[in-house]
Structure formats: structure tokens, C-alpha cells
Coordinates of all heavy atoms in Angstrom, one line a residue:
M22 N 0.8 -1.2 0.0 CA 0.0 0.0 0.0 C 0.9 1.3 0.0 O 0.5 2.3 -0.5 CB -0.9 0.0 1.2 CG -2.0 1.0 1.2 SD -3.0 0.9 -0.3 CE -4.6 0.4 0.4
L23 N 2.1 1.2 0.5 CA 3.0 2.3 0.6 C 3.3 2.8 -0.8 O 3.3 4.0 -1.1 CB 4.2 2.0 1.4 CG 5.2 3.1 1.5 CD1 4.6 4.2 2.3 CD2 6.5 2.7 2.2
G24 N 3.7 1.8 -1.7 CA 4.0 2.2 -3.0 C 2.8 2.9 -3.8 O 3.0 3.8 -4.5
N25 N 1.6 2.5 -3.5 CA 0.5 3.0 -4.1 C 0.2 4.5 -3.6 O -0.1 5.3 -4.4 CB -0.8 2.2 -3.8 CG -1.9 2.4 -4.8 OD1 -1.7 3.1 -5.8 ND2 -3.0 1.8 -4.6
D26 N 0.5 4.7 -2.3 CA 0.3 6.1 -1.8 C 1.3 7.0 -2.4 O 1.0 8.2 -2.8 CB 0.5 6.1 -0.3 CG -0.7 5.4 0.4 OD1 -1.8 5.3 -0.2 OD2 -0.5 5.0 1.6
T27 N 2.6 6.6 -2.5 CA 3.6 7.4 -3.1 C 3.3 7.7 -4.6 O 3.4 8.9 -5.0 CB 5.0 6.6 -3.1 OG1 5.2 6.3 -1.8 CG2 6.1 7.5 -3.6
H28 N 2.8 6.7 -5.3 CA 2.4 6.9 -6.7 C 1.3 7.9 -6.8 O 1.3 8.8 -7.6 CB 2.0 5.6 -7.3 CG 1.6 5.7 -8.8 ND1 2.3 6.4 -9.7 CD2 0.6 5.1 -9.4 CE1 1.7 6.3 -10.8 NE2 0.7 5.5 -10.7
S29 N 0.3 7.8 -6.0 CA -0.9 8.7 -6.1 C -0.5 10.1 -5.8 O -0.9 11.1 -6.4 CB -2.0 8.2 -5.3 OG -1.7 8.3 -3.9
S30 N 0.4 10.3 -4.8 CA 0.9 11.7 -4.4 C 1.7 12.2 -5.6 O 1.6 13.4 -5.9 CB 1.6 11.7 -3.1 OG 2.9 11.0 -3.3
H31 N 2.5 11.4 -6.3 CA 3.3 11.8 -7.4 C 2.4 12.3 -8.5 O 2.6 13.4 -9.1 CB 4.2 10.7 -7.9 CG 5.0 11.0 -9.1 ND1 6.0 11.9 -9.0 CD2 4.9 10.6 -10.4 CE1 6.6 12.0 -10.2 NE2 5.9 11.3 -11.0
V32 N 1.3 11.6 -8.8 CA 0.3 12.0 -9.8 C -0.3 13.3 -9.5 O -0.5 14.1 -10.3 CB -0.7 10.8 -10.0 CG1 -1.8 11.3 -11.0 CG2 0.0 9.6 -10.6
S33 N -0.7 13.4 -8.2 CA -1.4 14.7 -7.8 C -0.4 15.9 -7.9 O -0.9 17.0 -8.2 CB -2.0 14.6 -6.4 OG -0.9 14.5 -5.5
I34 N 0.8 15.7 -7.7 CA 1.8 16.8 -7.9 C 1.9 17.1 -9.3 O 1.8 18.3 -9.7 CB 3.2 16.4 -7.3 CG1 3.1 16.3 -5.8 CG2 4.2 17.4 -7.7 CD1 4.4 15.8 -5.1
L35 N 2.0 16.2 -10.2 CA 2.0 16.4 -11.6 C 0.8 17.1 -12.1 O 0.8 18.0 -12.9 CB 2.2 15.2 -12.4 CG 3.6 14.6 -12.4 CD1 3.7 13.3 -13.2 CD2 4.7 15.6 -12.9
A36 N -0.4 16.7 -11.6 CA -1.6 17.3 -12.0 C -1.9 18.6 -11.3 O -2.8 19.4 -11.7 CB -2.8 16.3 -11.7
G37 N -1.1 19.0 -10.3 CA -1.2 20.3 -9.6 C -2.2 20.2 -8.5 O -2.5 21.2 -7.9
G38 N -2.6 19.0 -8.1 CA -3.6 18.9 -7.0 C -2.9 18.8 -5.6 O -1.9 18.2 -5.4
G39 N -3.4 19.6 -4.7 CA -3.0 19.5 -3.3 C -1.7 20.2 -3.0 O -1.2 20.1 -1.9
T40 N -1.2 21.0 -3.9 CA 0.0 21.8 -3.6 C -0.2 23.2 -3.9 O -1.2 23.6 -4.6 CB 1.2 21.3 -4.4 OG1 0.9 21.4 -5.8 CG2 1.6 19.8 -4.1
S41 N 0.6 24.1 -3.4 CA 0.5 25.5 -3.6 C 0.7 25.8 -5.1 O 1.6 25.2 -5.7 CB 1.4 26.3 -2.7 OG 2.7 26.1 -3.0
P42 N 0.0 26.8 -5.7 CA 0.1 27.1 -7.1 C 1.5 27.6 -7.5 O 1.9 27.4 -8.7 CB -1.0 28.1 -7.4 CG -1.5 28.5 -6.0 CD -1.0 27.6 -5.0
D43 N 2.3 28.2 -6.6 CA 3.5 28.8 -7.1 C 4.6 27.7 -7.1 O 5.7 28.0 -7.6 CB 4.0 30.0 -6.2 CG 3.4 30.1 -4.9 OD1 2.9 29.2 -4.3 OD2 3.3 31.3 -4.5
T44 N 4.4 26.5 -6.6 CA 5.5 25.5 -6.7 C 5.3 24.5 -7.8 O 6.2 23.8 -8.1 CB 5.6 24.8 -5.3 OG1 4.3 24.1 -5.1 CG2 6.0 25.7 -4.2
V45 N 4.1 24.5 -8.4 CA 3.9 23.5 -9.4 C 3.4 24.1 -10.7 O 2.6 25.0 -10.7 CB 2.7 22.5 -9.0 CG1 2.4 21.5 -10.1 CG2 3.2 21.8 -7.7
Q46 N 4.0 23.7 -11.9 CA 3.6 24.2 -13.1 C 2.5 23.3 -13.7 O 2.6 22.1 -13.6 CB 4.8 24.3 -14.1 CG 5.7 25.4 -14.0 CD 6.7 25.4 -15.1 OE1 7.1 24.4 -15.5 NE2 7.1 26.6 -15.5
E47 N 1.6 23.9 -14.3 CA 0.5 23.1 -14.9 C 1.0 22.5 -16.2 O 1.6 23.2 -17.0 CB -0.7 24.0 -15.2 CG -1.9 23.2 -15.7 CD -3.1 24.1 -15.9 OE1 -3.2 25.0 -15.1 OE2 -3.9 23.8 -16.8
L48 N 0.8 21.3 -16.5 CA 1.2 20.6 -17.7 C 0.2 20.9 -18.8 O -1.0 20.6 -18.6 CB 1.4 19.1 -17.5 CG 2.4 18.7 -16.5 CD1 2.5 17.2 -16.3 CD2 3.8 19.2 -16.9
V49 N 0.6 21.5 -19.9 CA -0.3 21.8 -21.0 C 0.3 21.1 -22.3 O 1.5 21.2 -22.6 CB -0.3 23.3 -21.2 CG1 -1.3 23.7 -22.4 CG2 -0.8 24.0 -19.9
P50 N -0.6 20.4 -23.0 CA -0.1 19.8 -24.2 C 0.3 20.8 -25.3 O -0.2 21.9 -25.3 CB -1.3 18.9 -24.7 CG -2.5 19.5 -24.1 CD -2.0 20.2 -22.8
D51 N 1.2 20.4 -26.2 CA 1.6 21.3 -27.3 C 0.5 21.5 -28.2 O -0.4 20.6 -28.4 CB 2.8 20.7 -28.1 CG 4.1 20.6 -27.2 OD1 4.2 21.4 -26.3 OD2 5.0 19.8 -27.6
S52 N 0.4 22.6 -28.9 CA -0.6 22.8 -29.9 C -0.2 22.1 -31.1 O 1.0 22.0 -31.4 CB -0.8 24.3 -30.1 OG 0.4 24.9 -30.6
P53 N -1.2 21.7 -31.9 CA -0.9 20.9 -33.1 C -0.3 21.9 -34.2 O -0.5 23.1 -34.1 CB -2.3 20.4 -33.6 CG -3.2 21.3 -33.0 CD -2.6 21.8 -31.7
P54 N 0.6 21.4 -35.1 CA 1.2 22.2 -36.1 C 0.1 22.8 -37.0 O -0.9 22.2 -37.3 CB 2.1 21.3 -36.9 CG 1.6 19.9 -36.5 CD 0.9 20.0 -35.2
R55 N 0.4 24.0 -37.5 CA -0.5 24.7 -38.4 C 0.0 24.8 -39.8 O 1.3 24.8 -39.9 CB -0.7 26.2 -37.9 CG -1.4 26.3 -36.5 CD -1.7 27.7 -36.2 NE -0.6 28.6 -36.5 CZ -0.7 29.8 -36.9 NH1 -1.9 30.3 -37.2 NH2 0.3 30.6 -37.2
A56 N -0.8 24.8 -40.7 CA -0.4 25.0 -42.1 C 0.1 26.4 -42.3 O -0.3 27.3 -41.6 CB -1.6 24.7 -43.1
A57 N 1.0 26.6 -43.2 CA 1.6 27.9 -43.4 C 0.6 29.0 -43.8 O 0.8 30.2 -43.4 CB 2.7 27.8 -44.5
D58 N -0.4 28.7 -44.5 CA -1.3 29.7 -44.9 C -2.6 29.8 -44.1 O -3.6 30.5 -44.5 CB -1.7 29.6 -46.4 CG -2.3 28.2 -46.7 OD1 -2.3 27.4 -45.8 OD2 -2.8 28.0 -47.8
S59 N -2.7 29.1 -43.0 CA -3.9 29.1 -42.2 C -3.8 30.2 -41.0 O -2.8 30.4 -40.5 CB -4.2 27.8 -41.6 OG -3.2 27.5 -40.6
G60 N -4.9 30.8 -40.7 CA -5.0 31.7 -39.6 C -4.4 33.1 -39.9 O -3.8 33.3 -41.0
P61 N -4.6 34.0 -39.0 CA -4.0 35.4 -39.2 C -2.5 35.4 -39.2 O -1.9 34.6 -38.4 CB -4.6 36.2 -38.1 CG -5.0 35.2 -37.0 CD -5.3 33.9 -37.8
E62 N -1.9 36.2 -39.9 CA -0.4 36.3 -40.0 C 0.1 37.0 -38.8 O -0.3 38.2 -38.5 CB 0.0 37.0 -41.3 CG 1.5 36.9 -41.6 CD 1.9 35.5 -41.9 OE1 1.1 34.7 -42.4 OE2 3.1 35.2 -41.7
R63 N 1.0 36.4 -38.0 CA 1.6 37.1 -36.9 C 2.9 37.7 -37.3 O 3.6 37.1 -38.2 CB 1.8 36.1 -35.7 CG 0.6 35.6 -35.1 CD 0.9 34.8 -33.9 NE 1.6 33.5 -34.3 CZ 2.3 32.8 -33.6 NH1 2.6 33.1 -32.3 NH2 2.9 31.7 -34.0
P64 N 3.3 38.8 -36.8 CA 4.6 39.4 -37.1 C 5.7 38.4 -36.6 O 5.6 37.9 -35.5 CB 4.7 40.7 -36.4 CG 3.6 40.7 -35.4 CD 2.6 39.7 -35.8
R65 N 6.7 38.2 -37.5 CA 7.8 37.3 -37.1 C 8.7 38.0 -36.2 O 9.1 39.1 -36.3 CB 8.5 36.8 -38.4 CG 7.7 36.0 -39.3 CD 8.5 35.5 -40.4 NE 9.6 34.7 -40.0 CZ 9.8 33.4 -40.1 NH1 8.8 32.7 -40.7 NH2 10.8 32.8 -39.7
R66 N 9.2 37.3 -35.2 CA 10.1 37.8 -34.2 C 11.5 37.3 -34.6 O 11.6 36.1 -35.0 CB 9.8 37.4 -32.8 CG 8.4 37.9 -32.4 CD 8.0 37.5 -31.0 NE 8.9 38.1 -30.1 CZ 9.0 37.7 -28.8 NH1 8.2 36.7 -28.4 NH2 9.8 38.2 -28.0
P67 N 12.6 38.1 -34.4 CA 13.9 37.6 -34.7 C 14.3 36.4 -33.8 O 13.9 36.4 -32.7 CB 14.8 38.8 -34.5 CG 13.9 39.9 -33.8 CD 12.5 39.4 -33.9
R68 N 15.1 35.5 -34.4 CA 15.5 34.4 -33.6 C 17.0 34.3 -33.7 O 17.7 34.9 -34.6 CB 14.9 33.1 -34.3 CG 13.4 33.1 -34.2 CD 12.8 32.0 -35.0 NE 13.4 30.7 -34.8 CZ 13.0 29.6 -35.4 NH1 12.1 29.7 -36.3 NH2 13.6 28.5 -35.1
G69 N 17.6 33.5 -32.8 CA 19.1 33.3 -32.9 C 19.9 34.6 -32.8 O 19.6 35.4 -31.9
F70 N 20.9 34.7 -33.6 CA 21.8 35.8 -33.6 C 21.0 37.1 -33.9 O 21.4 38.2 -33.4 CB 22.9 35.7 -34.6 CG 24.0 34.7 -34.1 CD1 24.3 33.6 -34.9 CD2 24.7 34.9 -32.9 CE1 25.3 32.7 -34.5 CE2 25.6 34.0 -32.5 CZ 25.9 32.9 -33.3
A71 N 20.0 37.1 -34.6 CA 19.2 38.3 -35.0 C 18.6 38.9 -33.8 O 18.3 40.1 -33.7 CB 18.2 38.0 -36.0
A72 N 18.3 38.1 -32.7 CA 17.6 38.6 -31.5 C 18.6 39.1 -30.5 O 18.2 39.7 -29.5 CB 16.8 37.4 -30.9
M73 N 19.9 38.8 -30.7 CA 20.9 39.2 -29.8 C 21.4 40.6 -30.0 O 21.3 41.2 -31.1 CB 22.1 38.3 -29.9 CG 21.9 36.9 -29.4 SD 23.5 36.0 -29.6 CE 23.1 34.4 -29.0
D74 N 22.0 41.2 -28.9 CA 22.7 42.5 -29.0 C 23.8 42.4 -30.0 O 24.6 41.4 -30.0 CB 23.2 42.8 -27.6 CG 23.9 44.2 -27.6 OD1 23.4 45.1 -28.2 OD2 25.0 44.2 -27.0
R75 N 24.0 43.4 -30.9 CA 25.0 43.3 -31.9 C 26.4 43.2 -31.3 O 27.3 42.5 -31.9 CB 24.9 44.5 -32.8 CG 23.6 44.5 -33.6 CD 23.5 45.5 -34.7 NE 24.4 45.4 -35.8 CZ 24.3 44.6 -36.8 NH1 23.4 43.6 -36.8 NH2 25.2 44.6 -37.8
A76 N 26.7 43.8 -30.2 CA 28.0 43.7 -29.6 C 28.3 42.3 -29.1 O 29.4 41.8 -29.3 CB 28.1 44.7 -28.4
L77 N 27.3 41.6 -28.6 CA 27.4 40.2 -28.2 C 27.7 39.3 -29.4 O 28.6 38.4 -29.3 CB 26.2 39.7 -27.4 CG 26.2 38.3 -26.9 CD1 27.4 38.1 -25.9 CD2 24.9 38.0 -26.2
V78 N 27.0 39.5 -30.5 CA 27.2 38.7 -31.7 C 28.6 38.9 -32.2 O 29.3 38.0 -32.6 CB 26.2 39.1 -32.8 CG1 26.5 38.4 -34.1 CG2 24.8 38.7 -32.3
S79 N 29.0 40.2 -32.2 CA 30.4 40.5 -32.6 C 31.4 39.8 -31.8 O 32.4 39.3 -32.3 CB 30.6 42.0 -32.6 OG 31.9 42.3 -33.0
E80 N 31.2 39.8 -30.5 CA 32.2 39.2 -29.5 C 32.2 37.7 -29.8 O 33.3 37.1 -29.8 CB 31.7 39.4 -28.1 CG 32.6 38.8 -27.0 CD 34.0 39.5 -27.0 OE1 34.2 40.6 -27.5 OE2 34.9 38.9 -26.4
I81 N 31.1 37.0 -30.0 CA 31.0 35.6 -30.3 C 31.8 35.3 -31.6 O 32.6 34.4 -31.7 CB 29.6 35.1 -30.4 CG1 28.9 35.2 -29.0 CG2 29.5 33.7 -30.9 CD1 27.4 34.9 -29.0
A82 N 31.5 36.1 -32.6 CA 32.2 35.9 -33.9 C 33.7 36.1 -33.8 O 34.5 35.3 -34.4 CB 31.6 36.9 -34.9
R83 N 34.1 37.1 -33.0 CA 35.6 37.3 -32.8 C 36.2 36.1 -32.2 O 37.3 35.6 -32.6 CB 35.8 38.6 -31.9 CG 37.2 39.0 -31.8 CD 37.4 40.2 -30.8 NE 37.1 39.8 -29.4 CZ 37.9 39.1 -28.7 NH1 39.1 38.7 -29.1 NH2 37.6 38.8 -27.4
K84 N 35.6 35.6 -31.1 CA 36.1 34.4 -30.4 C 36.2 33.2 -31.4 O 37.1 32.4 -31.4 CB 35.3 34.1 -29.2 CG 35.5 35.0 -28.1 CD 34.6 34.7 -26.9 CE 34.9 35.6 -25.7 NZ 34.0 35.3 -24.5
G85 N 35.1 33.0 -32.2 CA 35.1 31.9 -33.2 C 36.2 32.1 -34.2 O 36.9 31.1 -34.5
G86 N 36.5 33.3 -34.7 CA 37.6 33.5 -35.6 C 38.9 33.2 -35.0 O 39.8 32.6 -35.6
K87 N 39.1 33.6 -33.8 CA 40.4 33.4 -33.1 C 40.6 31.9 -32.9 O 41.7 31.3 -33.1 CB 40.4 34.1 -31.7 CG 40.7 35.5 -31.8 CD 40.9 36.1 -30.5 CE 42.1 37.0 -30.6 NZ 43.0 37.2 -29.5
A88 N 39.5 31.2 -32.5 CA 39.6 29.7 -32.3 C 39.9 29.0 -33.6 O 40.7 28.1 -33.6 CB 38.3 29.2 -31.7
A89 N 39.3 29.4 -34.7 CA 39.6 28.8 -36.0 C 41.0 29.0 -36.4 O 41.7 28.1 -36.9 CB 38.6 29.3 -37.0
H90 N 41.5 30.2 -36.2 CA 42.9 30.5 -36.6 C 43.9 29.7 -35.7 O 44.9 29.1 -36.2 CB 43.2 32.0 -36.6 CG 42.7 32.7 -37.7 ND1 43.4 32.7 -39.0 CD2 41.6 33.4 -37.9 CE1 42.7 33.4 -39.8 NE2 41.6 33.9 -39.2
T91 N 43.6 29.6 -34.4 CA 44.4 28.8 -33.5 C 44.4 27.4 -33.9 O 45.5 26.7 -33.8 CB 43.9 29.0 -32.0 OG1 43.9 30.4 -31.7 CG2 44.8 28.3 -31.1
A92 N 43.3 26.8 -34.3 CA 43.2 25.4 -34.6 C 43.7 25.2 -36.0 O 43.9 24.0 -36.4 CB 41.7 25.0 -34.6
G93 N 43.9 26.2 -36.8 CA 44.5 26.0 -38.2 C 43.4 25.7 -39.2 O 43.7 25.2 -40.3
T94 N 42.1 25.9 -38.8 CA 41.1 25.5 -39.8 C 40.5 26.7 -40.5 O 39.5 26.5 -41.3 CB 39.9 24.7 -39.0 OG1 39.5 25.6 -38.0 CG2 40.5 23.4 -38.5
A95 N 40.9 27.9 -40.2 CA 40.4 29.1 -40.8 C 40.9 29.2 -42.2 O 42.1 28.9 -42.5 CB 40.8 30.3 -40.0
H96 N 40.0 29.7 -43.1 CA 40.5 29.9 -44.5 C 41.1 31.3 -44.6 O 40.5 32.3 -44.2 CB 39.3 29.8 -45.5 CG 39.6 30.0 -46.9 ND1 40.3 29.1 -47.6 CD2 39.4 31.1 -47.7 CE1 40.5 29.6 -48.8 NE2 40.0 30.8 -48.9
E97 N 42.2 31.4 -45.2 CA 42.8 32.7 -45.5 C 42.9 32.9 -47.0 O 43.5 32.1 -47.7 CB 44.2 32.8 -44.8 CG 44.2 32.6 -43.3 CD 45.5 32.7 -42.7 OE1 46.5 33.2 -43.4 OE2 45.7 32.3 -41.5
F98 N 42.3 34.0 -47.4 CA 42.2 34.3 -48.9 C 43.6 34.7 -49.4 O 44.3 35.4 -48.8 CB 41.2 35.4 -49.1 CG 39.8 35.1 -49.1 CD1 39.1 35.3 -47.9 CD2 39.2 34.5 -50.2 CE1 37.7 34.9 -47.8 CE2 37.8 34.1 -50.1 CZ 37.1 34.3 -49.0
T99 N 43.9 34.2 -50.6 CA 45.0 34.7 -51.3 C 44.6 36.0 -52.0 O 43.4 36.3 -52.1 CB 45.5 33.6 -52.4 OG1 44.5 33.5 -53.3 CG2 45.9 32.3 -51.7
A100 N 45.6 36.7 -52.6 CA 45.3 37.9 -53.3 C 44.4 37.6 -54.5 O 43.4 38.4 -54.8 CB 46.5 38.6 -53.7
E101 N 44.6 36.5 -55.2 CA 43.8 36.2 -56.4 C 42.4 35.8 -55.9 O 41.4 36.2 -56.6 CB 44.4 35.0 -57.1 CG 43.7 34.6 -58.4 CD 43.5 35.8 -59.3 OE1 44.4 36.7 -59.5 OE2 42.4 35.9 -59.9
E102 N 42.2 35.1 -54.9 CA 40.9 34.7 -54.4 C 40.1 36.0 -54.0 O 38.9 36.1 -54.2 CB 40.9 33.8 -53.2 CG 41.3 32.4 -53.5 CD 41.5 31.5 -52.3 OE1 42.1 32.0 -51.3 OE2 41.1 30.3 -52.3
A103 N 40.8 36.9 -53.3 CA 40.1 38.2 -52.9 C 39.7 39.0 -54.1 O 38.6 39.5 -54.1 CB 41.1 39.0 -52.0
R104 N 40.5 39.0 -55.1 CA 40.2 39.8 -56.4 C 38.9 39.2 -57.0 O 38.0 39.8 -57.4 CB 41.3 39.7 -57.4 CG 42.3 40.9 -57.2 CD 43.2 41.0 -58.4 NE 44.1 39.9 -58.4 CZ 45.3 39.8 -57.7 NH1 45.6 40.8 -57.0 NH2 46.1 38.8 -57.8
E105 N 38.9 37.8 -57.1 CA 37.8 37.1 -57.7 C 36.5 37.3 -56.9 O 35.4 37.6 -57.5 CB 38.0 35.6 -57.8 CG 36.9 34.8 -58.4 CD 36.7 35.2 -59.9 OE1 37.6 35.7 -60.6 OE2 35.6 35.0 -60.4
A106 N 36.6 37.3 -55.6 CA 35.4 37.6 -54.7 C 34.9 39.0 -54.9 O 33.7 39.2 -55.0 CB 35.7 37.3 -53.3
G107 N 35.8 40.0 -55.0 CA 35.4 41.3 -55.3 C 34.7 41.5 -56.6 O 33.7 42.2 -56.8
R108 N 35.3 40.8 -57.6 CA 34.7 40.9 -59.0 C 33.3 40.3 -59.0 O 32.3 40.9 -59.5 CB 35.6 40.1 -59.9 CG 35.6 40.6 -61.3 CD 36.6 39.8 -62.2 NE 37.9 40.1 -61.8 CZ 38.9 39.2 -61.5 NH1 38.6 37.9 -61.4 NH2 40.1 39.6 -61.1
K109 N 33.1 39.2 -58.3 CA 31.7 38.6 -58.2 C 30.8 39.5 -57.5 O 29.6 39.6 -57.9 CB 31.8 37.2 -57.5 CG 32.4 36.1 -58.4 CD 32.4 34.8 -57.6 CE 32.9 33.7 -58.4 NZ 32.9 32.4 -57.7
G110 N 31.2 40.1 -56.4 CA 30.4 40.9 -55.6 C 29.9 42.2 -56.4 O 28.8 42.6 -56.4
G111 N 30.8 42.7 -57.2 CA 30.5 43.9 -58.0 C 29.5 43.5 -59.1 O 28.6 44.3 -59.4
K112 N 29.7 42.3 -59.7 CA 28.8 41.9 -60.7 C 27.4 41.7 -60.1 O 26.4 42.1 -60.7 CB 29.2 40.6 -61.3 CG 30.4 40.8 -62.3 CD 30.7 39.4 -62.9 CE 31.9 39.6 -63.9 NZ 32.3 38.3 -64.4
A113 N 27.3 41.1 -59.0 CA 26.0 40.9 -58.3 C 25.3 42.2 -57.9 O 24.1 42.4 -58.1 CB 26.1 39.9 -57.1
T114 N 26.1 43.1 -57.4 CA 25.5 44.4 -56.9 C 25.0 45.2 -58.0 O 24.0 45.9 -57.9 CB 26.6 45.1 -56.1 OG1 27.1 44.3 -55.1 CG2 26.1 46.4 -55.6
H115 N 25.7 45.2 -59.2 CA 25.4 46.1 -60.2 C 24.7 45.4 -61.4 O 24.7 45.9 -62.5 CB 26.6 46.9 -60.7 CG 27.3 47.6 -59.7 ND1 26.7 48.7 -59.0 CD2 28.5 47.4 -59.0 CE1 27.5 49.2 -58.1 NE2 28.6 48.4 -58.1
A116 N 24.1 44.2 -61.2 CA 23.5 43.4 -62.2 C 22.3 44.2 -62.9 O 22.2 44.2 -64.1 CB 23.0 42.1 -61.7
K117 N 21.5 44.8 -62.1 CA 20.3 45.6 -62.6 C 20.8 46.7 -63.5 O 20.3 47.0 -64.5 CB 19.4 46.1 -61.5 CG 18.6 45.0 -60.8 CD 17.8 45.6 -59.7 CE 17.0 44.5 -59.0 NZ 16.2 45.1 -57.9
R118 N 21.8 47.4 -63.0 CA 22.3 48.6 -63.7 C 22.9 48.2 -65.1 O 22.7 48.8 -66.1 CB 23.4 49.3 -62.8 CG 23.8 50.6 -63.3 CD 24.8 51.3 -62.5 NE 24.4 51.3 -61.1 CZ 25.2 51.5 -60.1 NH1 26.5 51.8 -60.3 NH2 24.8 51.5 -58.8
R119 N 23.7 47.1 -65.1 CA 24.2 46.6 -66.3 C 23.1 46.1 -67.3 O 23.2 46.3 -68.5 CB 25.2 45.4 -66.1 CG 26.6 45.9 -65.6 CD 27.6 44.8 -65.8 NE 27.1 43.4 -65.5 CZ 27.1 42.8 -64.4 NH1 27.5 43.4 -63.3 NH2 26.6 41.6 -64.3
G120 N 22.1 45.5 -66.7 CA 21.0 45.1 -67.6 C 20.2 46.2 -68.2 O 19.8 46.1 -69.4
A121 N 20.1 47.3 -67.5 CA 19.4 48.5 -68.1 C 20.3 49.2 -69.2 O 19.8 49.7 -70.2 CB 19.2 49.5 -67.0
E122 N 21.6 49.1 -69.1 CA 22.5 49.7 -70.1 C 22.5 48.9 -71.3 O 22.7 49.4 -72.4 CB 23.9 49.8 -69.5 CG 24.1 50.8 -68.4 CD 25.5 50.8 -67.8 OE1 26.3 49.9 -68.2 OE2 25.7 51.5 -66.8
A123 N 22.3 47.6 -71.2 CA 22.3 46.7 -72.4 C 21.1 46.9 -73.3 O 21.2 46.6 -74.4 CB 22.5 45.2 -71.9
E124 N 20.0 47.3 -72.7 CA 18.8 47.4 -73.5 C 18.9 48.7 -74.3 O 19.2 49.8 -73.8 CB 17.5 47.5 -72.5 CG 17.2 46.3 -71.8 CD 16.1 46.5 -70.8 OE1 15.4 47.5 -70.9 OE2 15.9 45.6 -70.0
P125 N 18.5 48.6 -75.6 CA 18.5 49.8 -76.4 C 17.4 50.8 -76.0 O 16.3 50.3 -75.7 CB 18.4 49.3 -77.8 CG 17.7 48.0 -77.7 CD 18.1 47.4 -76.3
K126 N 17.7 52.0 -76.1 CA 16.7 53.0 -75.7 C 15.9 53.4 -77.0 O 16.5 53.7 -78.0 CB 17.3 54.3 -75.1 CG 18.0 53.9 -73.8 CD 18.4 55.1 -73.0 CE 19.0 54.7 -71.7 NZ 19.4 55.8 -70.9
A127 N 14.6 53.5 -76.9 CA 13.8 53.7 -78.1 C 13.6 55.2 -78.4 O 13.8 56.1 -77.8 CB 12.4 53.0 -77.9

């Protein structure tokens, strides 16, 4: 009978019965997943690094960079790789402008 009493008191604690409300959290089941287009649209809140203070993100990135260089796994660009990356970035940034120049004006 002792085991049964212990079990029933454990269940009542989980259910929130017989204890003060500030010491027990009520167990609530998860809500079912919703389809992407159902219900009113809620504004999205930033998650992960986007939700953090920019100074903290910068500090984490700095530490990661130092750790990668210390471990020897960080990539260091050669001058040629840096030139190629700059060329690609310029092409991507000015793609619309170049497209407008290529079209003949009527």
C-alpha cells in the first residue's frame, strides 16, 4: 500500500492537486502544427543571432575566428581569391544597372 500512496501523491503533484500554485507548473499539451497559410499572420520575431545584441554577436564571432585560426582550420584568402570575390560581388551588386545599359533606348 505504501508504493500506491507514493504513486498517487506523485500523480497529484504532476496534476497540480494538493500543492500550492507557485510551486507546481501546470502541464499543458503542445498545440498541433498549423499549415503555413492558415490563420491570421503574426509578425515574425527575430531568432538566434538576430535577436541578440550586436555587440554580443560581434564578440562571439571574434572568439570563433580566433579559435579557428588557433586550430588552423580558418580559410585565409590569397590575393587572387580576394580579387575574384570582389569581382563577383561587384557583378551581383550592379546586375540591374548593367541590364538597363544593355537594353537599347527607343
Side-chain angles (χ1 to χ4, degrees):
M22 191 56 115
L23 180 64
N25 201 5
D26 289 339
T27 305
H28 179 45
S29 65
S30 66
H31 178 70
V32 171
S33 68
I34 290 172
L35 286 177
T40 60
S41 65
D43 18 27
T44 59
V45 176
Q46 282 186 325
E47 184 177 332
L48 299 176
V49 180
D51 292 339
S52 60
R55 297 185 315 142
D58 59 351
S59 70
E62 191 68 25
R63 289 187 294 158
R65 293 184 59 110
R66 297 178 67 192
R68 298 168 52 181
F70 285 122
M73 290 183 180
D74 179 45
R75 293 188 66 75
L77 180 60
V78 172
S79 179
E80 181 69 17
I81 292 170
R83 186 184 70 76
K84 287 180 179 180
K87 285 188 135 214
H90 280 282
T91 302
T94 58
H96 179 75
E97 297 182 17
F98 283 97
T99 64
E101 182 55 39
E102 286 175 320
R104 270 192 292 277
E105 181 63 24
R108 210 174 291 123
K109 286 181 178 180
K112 284 182 180 179
T114 302
H115 303 295
K117 287 182 183 176
R118 194 179 308 166
R119 280 198 325 272
E122 290 173 2
E124 293 178 14
K126 295 188 180 186

